[in-house]
Amino acid sequence: MGLISEVLLLPFAPVRGSAWAIGQVLQEAERIYYDPATVRAELSRLEEQLEAGEITEEEFDRLEDELLDRLETATRANAGTGQQGTTR
């Protein structure tokens, strides 16, 4: 039955390949989004923007909270898998 099902599903191979590629892109984007080094760099840039007067204190607080939430999520995920955070 395996050979027959492969032949019958052959027209859908491009769709399966596209779905796999999209899944890989999403996985990599999520890895970068939650990478502790990336979040720390964004926190540093955010502080520079505040000091330069490019953003208000309220904007800084809101964005800082979002970044700290991402960092906490990444830390919990790494603790659950036993991985260490990425450092650069």
Side-chain angles (χ1 to χ4, degrees), residues 28-64:
E28 181 64 11
E30 188 172 83
R31 186 194 65 77
I32 292 170
Y33 183 77
Y34 286 109
D35 180 26
T38 302
V39 176
R40 287 187 191 103
E42 289 183 33
L43 281 168
S44 179
R45 278 189 298 250
L46 190 62
E47 190 171 341
E48 290 171 2
Q49 288 177 330
L50 177 66
E51 291 172 358
E54 297 173 7
I55 60 173
T56 66
E57 187 74 35
E58 292 79 23
E59 288 174 302
F60 174 82
D61 289 339
R62 182 181 55 79
L63 294 171
E64 182 186 40

Side-chain angles (χ1 to χ4, degrees), residues 2-24:
L3 180 59
I4 293 173
S5 64
E6 286 297 318
V7 170
L8 292 175
L9 294 176
L10 191 58
F12 298 106
V15 174
R16 290 189 315 216
S18 297
W20 176 85
I22 291 169
Q24 294 299 307

